[in-house]
Each structure stands twice: as C-alpha cells, then as structure tokens.
Coordinates of all heavy atoms in Angstrom, one line a residue:
M1 N -18.8 14.3 -18.4 CA -18.7 12.9 -18.7 C -19.8 12.2 -18.0 O -20.3 12.6 -17.0 CB -17.4 12.3 -18.2 CG -16.2 12.7 -19.1 SD -14.8 11.7 -18.6 CE -13.5 12.9 -18.5
S2 N -20.2 11.1 -18.6 CA -21.3 10.3 -18.0 C -20.9 9.5 -16.9 O -19.7 9.2 -16.8 CB -22.0 9.5 -19.1 OG -21.1 8.4 -19.4
P3 N -21.8 9.0 -16.0 CA -21.4 8.2 -14.9 C -20.8 6.8 -15.4 O -19.9 6.3 -14.7 CB -22.7 7.9 -14.2 CG -23.6 9.1 -14.5 CD -23.2 9.5 -15.9
I4 N -21.2 6.4 -16.5 CA -20.6 5.1 -17.1 C -19.2 5.3 -17.4 O -18.3 4.5 -17.2 CB -21.4 4.6 -18.3 CG1 -22.8 4.3 -17.9 CG2 -20.7 3.5 -19.0 CD1 -23.8 3.9 -19.0
T5 N -18.8 6.5 -18.0 CA -17.4 6.8 -18.3 C -16.6 6.9 -17.0 O -15.5 6.3 -16.9 CB -17.3 8.1 -19.0 OG1 -18.1 8.0 -20.2 CG2 -15.9 8.4 -19.4
W6 N -17.1 7.5 -16.0 CA -16.4 7.6 -14.7 C -16.2 6.2 -14.1 O -15.2 5.9 -13.5 CB -17.2 8.5 -13.7 CG -17.1 10.0 -14.1 CD1 -18.1 10.8 -14.4 CD2 -15.9 10.8 -14.1 NE1 -17.7 12.0 -14.7 CE2 -16.3 12.1 -14.5 CE3 -14.6 10.5 -13.9 CZ2 -15.4 13.1 -14.7 CZ3 -13.7 11.6 -14.1 CH2 -14.1 12.9 -14.4
F7 N -17.2 5.4 -14.2 CA -17.1 4.0 -13.6 C -16.1 3.2 -14.4 O -15.3 2.5 -13.8 CB -18.5 3.3 -13.7 CG -18.5 1.9 -13.1 CD1 -18.3 1.7 -11.8 CD2 -18.6 0.8 -14.0 CE1 -18.3 0.5 -11.2 CE2 -18.6 -0.5 -13.4 CZ -18.4 -0.6 -12.1
A8 N -16.0 3.4 -15.7 CA -15.0 2.7 -16.5 C -13.6 3.2 -16.2 O -12.7 2.4 -16.1 CB -15.3 2.9 -18.0
I9 N -13.5 4.5 -15.9 CA -12.2 5.0 -15.5 C -11.8 4.4 -14.1 O -10.6 4.0 -13.9 CB -12.2 6.5 -15.5 CG1 -12.3 7.1 -16.9 CG2 -11.0 7.1 -14.8 CD1 -12.6 8.6 -17.0
Y10 N -12.7 4.3 -13.2 CA -12.5 3.8 -11.9 C -12.0 2.3 -12.0 O -11.1 1.9 -11.4 CB -13.7 3.9 -11.0 CG -13.4 3.2 -9.6 CD1 -12.7 3.9 -8.7 CD2 -13.9 2.0 -9.3 CE1 -12.4 3.3 -7.4 CE2 -13.7 1.4 -8.1 CZ -12.9 2.0 -7.2 OH -12.6 1.4 -6.0
L11 N -12.7 1.5 -12.8 CA -12.4 0.1 -13.0 C -11.0 0.0 -13.6 O -10.2 -0.9 -13.2 CB -13.4 -0.6 -13.9 CG -14.7 -1.0 -13.2 CD1 -15.6 -1.7 -14.2 CD2 -14.4 -1.9 -12.1
T12 N -10.6 0.8 -14.5 CA -9.3 0.8 -15.1 C -8.2 1.1 -14.0 O -7.2 0.4 -14.0 CB -9.2 1.8 -16.3 OG1 -10.2 1.5 -17.2 CG2 -7.8 1.7 -16.9
I13 N -8.5 2.1 -13.2 CA -7.6 2.4 -12.1 C -7.5 1.2 -11.1 O -6.4 0.8 -10.7 CB -8.0 3.7 -11.4 CG1 -7.8 4.9 -12.3 CG2 -7.2 3.9 -10.1 CD1 -8.5 6.2 -11.8
W14 N -8.7 0.6 -10.8 CA -8.8 -0.5 -9.9 C -7.9 -1.7 -10.3 O -7.1 -2.2 -9.6 CB -10.2 -0.9 -9.7 CG -10.4 -1.8 -8.5 CD1 -10.7 -1.4 -7.2 CD2 -10.3 -3.2 -8.5 NE1 -10.8 -2.5 -6.4 CE2 -10.6 -3.7 -7.1 CE3 -10.1 -4.2 -9.5 CZ2 -10.5 -5.0 -6.8 CZ3 -10.1 -5.5 -9.1 CH2 -10.3 -5.9 -7.8
W15 N -8.0 -2.0 -11.6 CA -7.3 -3.2 -12.1 C -5.8 -2.9 -12.1 O -4.9 -3.7 -11.8 CB -7.7 -3.6 -13.5 CG -8.9 -4.5 -13.4 CD1 -10.2 -4.1 -13.7 CD2 -9.0 -5.9 -13.1 NE1 -11.1 -5.2 -13.5 CE2 -10.3 -6.3 -13.1 CE3 -8.0 -6.8 -12.7 CZ2 -10.7 -7.6 -12.8 CZ3 -8.4 -8.1 -12.4 CH2 -9.7 -8.5 -12.5
T16 N -5.4 -1.7 -12.5 CA -4.0 -1.3 -12.5 C -3.4 -1.3 -11.1 O -2.3 -1.9 -10.9 CB -3.8 0.1 -13.1 OG1 -4.4 0.2 -14.4 CG2 -2.4 0.5 -13.2
V17 N -4.1 -0.8 -10.1 CA -3.7 -0.9 -8.7 C -3.6 -2.3 -8.2 O -2.7 -2.7 -7.5 CB -4.6 0.0 -7.8 CG1 -4.2 -0.1 -6.4 CG2 -4.4 1.5 -8.2
L18 N -4.6 -3.1 -8.6 CA -4.6 -4.5 -8.2 C -3.3 -5.2 -8.6 O -2.7 -5.9 -7.8 CB -5.8 -5.3 -8.8 CG -5.8 -6.8 -8.5 CD1 -6.0 -7.0 -7.0 CD2 -6.9 -7.5 -9.3
F19 N -2.9 -5.0 -9.8 CA -1.7 -5.7 -10.3 C -0.4 -5.1 -9.6 O 0.6 -5.8 -9.5 CB -1.5 -5.6 -11.8 CG -2.5 -6.5 -12.5 CD1 -3.4 -6.0 -13.4 CD2 -2.5 -7.9 -12.3 CE1 -4.3 -6.8 -14.1 CE2 -3.4 -8.7 -12.9 CZ -4.3 -8.2 -13.8
A20 N -0.5 -3.9 -9.1 CA 0.6 -3.3 -8.4 C 0.6 -3.9 -6.9 O 1.7 -4.0 -6.3 CB 0.5 -1.8 -8.4
V21 N -0.5 -4.2 -6.4 CA -0.7 -4.6 -5.0 C -0.5 -6.1 -4.8 O 0.0 -6.6 -3.8 CB -2.0 -4.2 -4.4 CG1 -2.3 -4.8 -3.1 CG2 -2.1 -2.6 -4.3
L22 N -0.8 -6.9 -5.8 CA -0.8 -8.4 -5.7 C 0.6 -8.9 -5.1 O 0.6 -9.8 -4.3 CB -1.1 -9.0 -7.0 CG -2.6 -9.2 -7.3 CD1 -2.8 -9.8 -8.7 CD2 -3.2 -10.1 -6.2
P23 N 1.7 -8.5 -5.6 CA 3.0 -9.1 -5.1 C 3.4 -8.6 -3.7 O 4.3 -9.2 -3.1 CB 4.0 -8.7 -6.1 CG 3.5 -7.5 -6.8 CD 2.0 -7.6 -6.8
L24 N 2.8 -7.6 -3.2 CA 3.2 -7.0 -1.9 C 2.9 -8.0 -0.8 O 1.8 -8.5 -0.6 CB 2.5 -5.7 -1.6 CG 2.8 -4.6 -2.6 CD1 2.0 -3.3 -2.2 CD2 4.2 -4.3 -2.6
G25 N 3.9 -8.3 0.0 CA 3.7 -9.2 1.2 C 3.5 -10.7 0.9 O 3.2 -11.4 1.8
S26 N 3.7 -11.1 -0.3 CA 3.5 -12.5 -0.7 C 4.9 -13.2 -0.6 O 5.9 -12.7 -1.0 CB 3.0 -12.7 -2.1 OG 1.7 -12.1 -2.2
R27 N 4.8 -14.4 0.0 CA 6.0 -15.3 0.1 C 5.6 -16.6 -0.6 O 4.6 -17.2 -0.3 CB 6.4 -15.6 1.5 CG 6.9 -14.3 2.2 CD 7.6 -14.7 3.5 NE 8.5 -15.7 3.2 CZ 9.5 -16.1 4.0 NH1 9.6 -15.5 5.2 NH2 10.3 -17.1 3.8
S28 N 6.5 -17.0 -1.5 CA 6.3 -18.3 -2.2 C 6.8 -19.4 -1.4 O 7.5 -19.3 -0.4 CB 7.0 -18.2 -3.6 OG 8.4 -18.2 -3.4
F29 N 6.4 -20.6 -1.8 CA 6.9 -21.8 -1.2 C 8.4 -21.9 -1.2 O 9.1 -22.3 -0.3 CB 6.3 -23.1 -1.8 CG 4.9 -23.3 -1.5 CD1 3.9 -22.9 -2.4 CD2 4.5 -23.9 -0.3 CE1 2.5 -23.1 -2.1 CE2 3.1 -24.1 0.0 CZ 2.2 -23.7 -1.0
H30 N 9.0 -21.5 -2.4 CA 10.4 -21.5 -2.6 C 11.1 -20.6 -1.6 O 12.1 -20.9 -1.0 CB 10.8 -21.2 -4.0 CG 12.2 -21.1 -4.3 ND1 13.0 -22.3 -4.3 CD2 13.1 -20.1 -4.5 CE1 14.3 -21.9 -4.5 NE2 14.3 -20.6 -4.7
E31 N 10.6 -19.3 -1.5 CA 11.2 -18.3 -0.6 C 11.1 -18.7 0.9 O 12.0 -18.5 1.7 CB 10.5 -17.0 -0.8 CG 10.7 -16.3 -2.1 CD 9.9 -15.1 -2.3 OE1 8.8 -15.0 -1.6 OE2 10.3 -14.2 -3.1
A32 N 10.0 -19.4 1.2 CA 9.8 -19.8 2.6 C 10.6 -21.1 2.9 O 10.7 -21.5 4.1 CB 8.4 -20.0 2.9
G33 N 11.1 -21.8 1.9 CA 11.8 -23.0 2.1 C 10.9 -24.2 2.5 O 11.3 -25.1 3.2
V34 N 9.6 -24.1 2.1 CA 8.6 -25.1 2.4 C 8.3 -25.9 1.1 O 8.2 -25.3 0.0 CB 7.3 -24.4 2.9 CG1 6.2 -25.5 3.1 CG2 7.5 -23.6 4.1
A35 N 8.2 -27.2 1.3 CA 7.9 -28.1 0.1 C 6.4 -27.8 -0.3 O 5.5 -28.0 0.6 CB 8.1 -29.5 0.4
P36 N 6.2 -27.5 -1.6 CA 4.8 -27.3 -2.0 C 4.0 -28.6 -2.1 O 4.6 -29.7 -2.3 CB 4.9 -26.6 -3.4 CG 6.3 -27.1 -3.8 CD 7.1 -27.2 -2.6
P37 N 2.7 -28.6 -1.9 CA 1.9 -29.8 -2.1 C 2.1 -30.3 -3.5 O 2.4 -29.6 -4.4 CB 0.5 -29.4 -1.8 CG 0.6 -28.1 -1.1 CD 1.9 -27.5 -1.5
P38 N 1.8 -31.6 -3.8 CA 1.9 -32.1 -5.2 C 1.0 -31.3 -6.1 O -0.1 -31.0 -5.8 CB 1.4 -33.5 -5.0 CG 1.5 -33.9 -3.6 CD 1.4 -32.6 -2.9
G39 N 1.6 -31.0 -7.3 CA 0.9 -30.2 -8.3 C 0.9 -28.7 -8.2 O 0.3 -28.0 -9.0
V40 N 1.5 -28.2 -7.1 CA 1.6 -26.8 -6.9 C 3.0 -26.2 -7.3 O 4.0 -26.8 -7.0 CB 1.3 -26.4 -5.4 CG1 1.4 -25.0 -5.1 CG2 -0.1 -26.9 -5.0
D41 N 3.0 -25.1 -8.0 CA 4.2 -24.5 -8.4 C 5.0 -24.0 -7.2 O 4.4 -23.4 -6.4 CB 3.9 -23.4 -9.4 CG 5.2 -22.8 -10.0 OD1 5.7 -23.4 -11.0 OD2 5.7 -21.8 -9.5
P42 N 6.3 -24.1 -7.2 CA 7.1 -23.6 -6.0 C 7.0 -22.1 -5.9 O 7.2 -21.5 -4.9 CB 8.5 -24.1 -6.3 CG 8.4 -25.1 -7.3 CD 7.1 -25.0 -8.1
G43 N 6.7 -21.4 -7.0 CA 6.6 -20.0 -7.0 C 5.3 -19.4 -6.6 O 5.1 -18.2 -6.5
A44 N 4.3 -20.3 -6.3 CA 3.0 -19.9 -5.9 C 3.0 -19.3 -4.5 O 3.8 -19.9 -3.7 CB 2.0 -21.0 -6.0
P45 N 2.2 -18.3 -4.2 CA 2.3 -17.8 -2.8 C 1.7 -18.8 -1.8 O 0.7 -19.5 -2.1 CB 1.4 -16.5 -2.9 CG 0.6 -16.6 -4.1 CD 1.4 -17.5 -5.1
I46 N 2.2 -18.8 -0.6 CA 1.7 -19.7 0.4 C 0.3 -19.2 0.9 O -0.6 -20.0 0.9 CB 2.7 -19.7 1.6 CG1 4.0 -20.4 1.2 CG2 2.1 -20.5 2.8 CD1 5.1 -20.3 2.2
N47 N 0.2 -17.9 1.2 CA -1.0 -17.3 1.6 C -1.2 -16.0 0.9 O -0.6 -15.0 1.3 CB -1.0 -17.1 3.1 CG -2.4 -16.6 3.6 OD1 -3.3 -16.5 2.9 ND2 -2.4 -16.2 4.9
P48 N -2.0 -16.0 -0.2 CA -2.1 -14.7 -1.0 C -2.8 -13.6 -0.4 O -2.7 -12.4 -0.8 CB -2.8 -15.2 -2.3 CG -3.5 -16.4 -1.9 CD -2.8 -17.1 -0.8
N49 N -3.6 -13.8 0.7 CA -4.3 -12.7 1.4 C -5.1 -11.9 0.4 O -5.1 -10.6 0.4 CB -3.3 -11.8 2.2 CG -2.7 -12.5 3.3 OD1 -3.3 -13.3 4.0 ND2 -1.4 -12.2 3.5
L50 N -5.9 -12.5 -0.4 CA -6.6 -11.8 -1.5 C -7.7 -10.8 -0.9 O -7.9 -9.8 -1.5 CB -7.3 -12.8 -2.4 CG -6.3 -13.6 -3.3 CD1 -7.1 -14.5 -4.2 CD2 -5.5 -12.6 -4.1
K51 N -8.3 -11.2 0.2 CA -9.4 -10.3 0.7 C -8.7 -9.0 1.1 O -9.2 -7.9 0.8 CB -10.1 -11.0 1.9 CG -11.2 -10.1 2.5 CD -11.9 -10.9 3.6 CE -13.0 -10.0 4.2 NZ -13.7 -10.7 5.3
R52 N -7.6 -9.1 1.8 CA -6.9 -7.8 2.3 C -6.4 -7.0 1.1 O -6.5 -5.8 1.1 CB -5.7 -8.2 3.2 CG -5.1 -7.0 3.9 CD -3.9 -7.3 4.6 NE -2.8 -7.1 3.7 CZ -1.7 -7.8 3.7 NH1 -1.5 -8.8 4.5 NH2 -0.7 -7.6 2.8
K53 N -5.9 -7.7 0.1 CA -5.4 -7.0 -1.1 C -6.5 -6.4 -1.9 O -6.4 -5.3 -2.5 CB -4.6 -8.0 -2.0 CG -3.3 -8.4 -1.3 CD -2.4 -9.3 -2.1 CE -1.2 -9.6 -1.3 NZ -0.3 -10.4 -2.0
F54 N -7.7 -7.0 -2.0 CA -8.9 -6.4 -2.6 C -9.3 -5.1 -1.9 O -9.6 -4.1 -2.5 CB -10.0 -7.4 -2.8 CG -9.8 -8.4 -3.9 CD1 -10.6 -9.5 -3.9 CD2 -8.8 -8.3 -4.8 CE1 -10.5 -10.5 -4.9 CE2 -8.6 -9.2 -5.8 CZ -9.5 -10.3 -5.9
I55 N -9.3 -5.2 -0.6 CA -9.7 -4.0 0.2 C -8.7 -2.9 0.0 O -9.0 -1.7 -0.2 CB -9.9 -4.4 1.7 CG1 -11.1 -5.3 1.9 CG2 -10.0 -3.2 2.6 CD1 -11.2 -6.0 3.2
T56 N -7.4 -3.2 0.1 CA -6.3 -2.2 -0.1 C -6.5 -1.6 -1.5 O -6.4 -0.4 -1.7 CB -5.0 -2.9 0.0 OG1 -4.9 -3.4 1.4 CG2 -3.8 -1.9 -0.2
T57 N -6.7 -2.5 -2.5 CA -6.8 -2.0 -3.9 C -8.0 -1.1 -4.0 O -7.9 0.0 -4.7 CB -7.0 -3.2 -4.9 OG1 -5.9 -4.0 -4.8 CG2 -7.3 -2.8 -6.3
T58 N -9.1 -1.4 -3.4 CA -10.3 -0.5 -3.5 C -10.1 0.9 -2.9 O -10.4 1.9 -3.5 CB -11.5 -1.2 -2.8 OG1 -11.7 -2.5 -3.4 CG2 -12.7 -0.4 -2.9
W59 N -9.4 1.0 -1.7 CA -9.3 2.3 -1.1 C -8.2 3.1 -1.8 O -8.3 4.3 -2.0 CB -9.1 2.3 0.4 CG -7.8 1.8 1.0 CD1 -7.6 0.5 1.5 CD2 -6.6 2.5 1.1 NE1 -6.3 0.4 1.9 CE2 -5.7 1.6 1.7 CE3 -6.2 3.7 0.8 CZ2 -4.4 2.0 2.0 CZ3 -4.9 4.1 1.1 CH2 -4.0 3.2 1.7
V60 N -7.1 2.4 -2.3 CA -6.1 3.1 -3.0 C -6.6 3.6 -4.3 O -6.4 4.8 -4.8 CB -4.8 2.2 -3.2 CG1 -3.9 2.9 -4.2 CG2 -4.1 1.9 -1.9
S61 N -7.4 2.8 -5.0 CA -8.1 3.2 -6.3 C -9.0 4.4 -6.0 O -9.1 5.3 -6.9 CB -8.8 2.1 -6.9 OG -8.0 1.0 -7.2
A62 N -9.7 4.4 -4.9 CA -10.6 5.5 -4.6 C -9.9 6.8 -4.5 O -10.3 7.8 -5.0 CB -11.5 5.2 -3.4
V63 N -8.7 6.7 -3.8 CA -7.9 8.0 -3.6 C -7.4 8.4 -4.9 O -7.5 9.6 -5.3 CB -6.8 7.7 -2.6 CG1 -5.8 8.8 -2.6 CG2 -7.3 7.4 -1.2
V64 N -6.9 7.5 -5.8 CA -6.4 7.9 -7.1 C -7.5 8.5 -8.0 O -7.3 9.5 -8.6 CB -5.6 6.7 -7.8 CG1 -5.3 7.0 -9.2 CG2 -4.4 6.3 -7.0
F65 N -8.6 7.8 -7.9 CA -9.8 8.3 -8.7 C -10.2 9.7 -8.3 O -10.5 10.5 -9.1 CB -10.9 7.3 -8.6 CG -12.2 7.7 -9.3 CD1 -12.2 7.6 -10.7 CD2 -13.2 8.3 -8.7 CE1 -13.3 8.1 -11.4 CE2 -14.4 8.7 -9.3 CZ -14.4 8.6 -10.7
I66 N -10.3 9.9 -7.0 CA -10.7 11.2 -6.5 C -9.7 12.3 -6.9 O -10.2 13.4 -7.4 CB -10.9 11.2 -4.9 CG1 -12.1 10.4 -4.6 CG2 -11.0 12.6 -4.4 CD1 -12.2 10.1 -3.1
L67 N -8.5 12.0 -6.9 CA -7.5 13.0 -7.4 C -7.7 13.2 -8.9 O -7.6 14.4 -9.3 CB -6.0 12.5 -7.1 CG -5.6 12.4 -5.6 CD1 -4.3 11.8 -5.5 CD2 -5.6 13.8 -5.1
F68 N -7.9 12.2 -9.6 CA -8.1 12.3 -11.1 C -9.4 13.1 -11.3 O -9.4 14.0 -12.2 CB -8.2 10.9 -11.7 CG -8.6 11.0 -13.2 CD1 -7.6 11.3 -14.1 CD2 -9.9 10.7 -13.6 CE1 -8.0 11.4 -15.5 CE2 -10.2 10.8 -14.9 CZ -9.3 11.1 -15.9
F69 N -10.5 12.8 -10.6 CA -11.8 13.5 -10.8 C -11.6 15.0 -10.5 O -12.1 15.8 -11.2 CB -12.8 12.9 -9.9 CG -14.1 13.6 -9.9 CD1 -15.0 13.4 -11.0 CD2 -14.5 14.5 -8.9 CE1 -16.2 14.0 -11.0 CE2 -15.7 15.2 -9.0 CZ -16.6 14.9 -10.1
L70 N -10.9 15.3 -9.4 CA -10.8 16.7 -9.0 C -9.9 17.4 -10.1 O -10.2 18.6 -10.4 CB -10.1 16.8 -7.6 CG -11.0 16.4 -6.5 CD1 -10.2 16.4 -5.2 CD2 -12.3 17.2 -6.4
T71 N -8.9 16.8 -10.6 CA -8.1 17.4 -11.6 C -8.9 17.7 -12.9 O -8.8 18.8 -13.4 CB -6.9 16.4 -12.0 OG1 -6.1 16.2 -10.8 CG2 -6.0 17.0 -13.1
V72 N -9.8 16.8 -13.3 CA -10.6 17.0 -14.4 C -11.7 18.0 -14.1 O -12.0 18.9 -14.9 CB -11.2 15.7 -14.9 CG1 -12.3 15.9 -16.0 CG2 -10.1 14.7 -15.4
H73 N -12.3 17.9 -13.0 CA -13.4 18.8 -12.6 C -13.0 20.3 -12.5 O -13.7 21.1 -13.0 CB -14.1 18.3 -11.3 CG -15.2 19.1 -10.9 ND1 -16.5 19.1 -11.5 CD2 -15.4 20.0 -9.9 CE1 -17.3 19.9 -11.0 NE2 -16.7 20.5 -9.9
F74 N -11.9 20.5 -11.9 CA -11.4 21.9 -11.7 C -10.5 22.3 -12.9 O -9.8 23.4 -12.8 CB -10.7 22.0 -10.4 CG -11.7 21.9 -9.2 CD1 -11.6 20.9 -8.4 CD2 -12.7 22.9 -9.0 CE1 -12.5 20.8 -7.3 CE2 -13.6 22.8 -8.0 CZ -13.5 21.7 -7.1
H75 N -10.4 21.5 -13.9 CA -9.6 21.9 -15.1 C -8.1 22.2 -14.7 O -7.6 23.2 -15.3 CB -10.2 23.0 -15.9 CG -11.6 22.8 -16.3 ND1 -11.9 21.8 -17.2 CD2 -12.8 23.3 -15.8 CE1 -13.3 21.8 -17.4 NE2 -13.8 22.7 -16.5
L76 N -7.5 21.5 -13.8 CA -6.1 21.7 -13.5 C -5.2 21.3 -14.6 O -4.1 21.9 -14.7 CB -5.8 20.9 -12.2 CG -6.6 21.3 -11.0 CD1 -6.3 20.4 -9.8 CD2 -6.4 22.7 -10.6
V77 N -5.6 20.4 -15.4 CA -4.8 20.0 -16.6 C -5.8 20.0 -17.8 O -6.8 19.3 -17.8 CB -4.2 18.6 -16.5 CG1 -3.5 18.2 -17.8 CG2 -3.2 18.6 -15.3
K78 N -5.6 20.9 -18.8 CA -6.4 21.0 -19.9 C -5.8 20.2 -21.1 O -4.6 20.3 -21.3 CB -6.7 22.4 -20.3 CG -7.3 23.2 -19.2 CD -7.4 24.7 -19.5 CE -8.0 25.4 -18.3 NZ -7.7 26.7 -18.2
L79 N -6.6 19.4 -21.8 CA -6.1 18.6 -22.9 C -5.5 19.5 -24.0 O -4.4 19.1 -24.5 CB -7.3 17.8 -23.4 CG -7.7 16.6 -22.5 CD1 -8.9 15.9 -23.2 CD2 -6.6 15.7 -22.2
P80 N -6.0 20.6 -24.3 CA -5.3 21.4 -25.4 C -3.9 21.9 -25.0 O -3.1 22.2 -25.8 CB -6.2 22.6 -25.6 CG -7.6 22.2 -25.2 CD -7.3 21.2 -24.0
D81 N -3.6 22.0 -23.6 CA -2.3 22.4 -23.2 C -1.3 21.3 -23.2 O -0.1 21.6 -23.2 CB -2.4 22.9 -21.7 CG -3.2 24.2 -21.6 OD1 -3.4 24.8 -22.7 OD2 -3.7 24.5 -20.5
L82 N -1.7 20.0 -23.4 CA -0.8 18.9 -23.4 C -0.1 18.9 -24.8 O -0.7 19.2 -25.8 CB -1.5 17.6 -23.2 CG -2.1 17.4 -21.8 CD1 -2.8 16.1 -21.7 CD2 -1.0 17.5 -20.7
P83 N 1.2 18.6 -24.9 CA 1.9 18.6 -26.2 C 1.3 17.4 -27.0 O 1.0 16.3 -26.5 CB 3.3 18.3 -25.8 CG 3.3 17.8 -24.4 CD 2.1 18.3 -23.8
A84 N 1.1 17.7 -28.3 CA 0.6 16.7 -29.2 C 1.8 15.8 -29.8 O 2.9 16.3 -30.0 CB -0.2 17.3 -30.3
A85 N 1.5 14.6 -30.0 CA 2.5 13.7 -30.6 C 2.5 14.0 -32.1 O 1.5 14.3 -32.8 CB 2.1 12.2 -30.4
A86 N 3.7 14.0 -32.6 CA 3.9 14.3 -34.0 C 3.6 13.2 -34.9 O 3.6 12.1 -34.6 CB 5.4 14.8 -34.3

C-alpha cells in the first residue's frame, strides 16, 4: 500500500477514536448544577479539555494503527480467508 493509503487509514482511525474520547471526563452545566451563561446550552461541557483529548486521541490512534499495520504487514489476517457476504 502507498503512504497516502496508510495516512488515510490513520486519519480514519484518529477520527473514530476522537469521537470515542470526546465524552470522557466531560461534565455539563446541567450535571454540575451550574447556571450556563446566556445563550449556552445546559448540556454543553463546562471545560471540554480539547488539548488533552487531542493528545489522548493521537497516541491511542497510533497504538491502534500500529496493531493494524503489523496485522497487515505480517499477513495475520488474509482477506481471502474472511467469509464473503452473500
């Protein structure tokens, strides 16, 4: 596979992990019992910690990508061995 394909696979993994990590550790105004400022939804997080979540997403994605890469590189799962959909 080309480097562009590997990069596209990494980005797909990164975005998937990001959506899994975003709700972790977030508390909304409603959950904290704090009145939100005018114009802010009560379900919005008080402090989303986006920098920390982006860093977490990056290293978790790197681990998942390395596992995927090694699986493909060493042919641990071969596509012809997977059952085909009817």
Side-chain angles (χ1 to χ4, degrees):
M1 284 192 227
S2 72
I4 294 173
T5 304
W6 288 116
F7 183 69
I9 291 170
Y10 177 78
L11 280 181
T12 303
I13 293 170
W14 193 90
W15 278 103
T16 304
V17 172
L18 175 65
F19 287 122
V21 169
L22 275 177
L24 299 177
S26 294
R27 290 195 51 166
S28 67
F29 287 99
H30 177 73
E31 291 172 336
V34 178
V40 175
D41 186 83
I46 294 173
N47 184 7
N49 294 321
L50 290 180
K51 184 177 179 181
R52 190 186 93 216
K53 290 182 183 184
F54 284 167
I55 292 169
T56 302
T57 298
T58 302
W59 71 261
V60 170
S61 299
V63 170
V64 171
F65 176 77
I66 289 169
L67 291 173
F68 176 77
F69 176 80
L70 293 174
T71 301
V72 172
H73 182 71
F74 292 112
H75 305 289
L76 299 176
V77 176
K78 298 175 184 158
L79 289 179
D81 294 341
L82 296 175

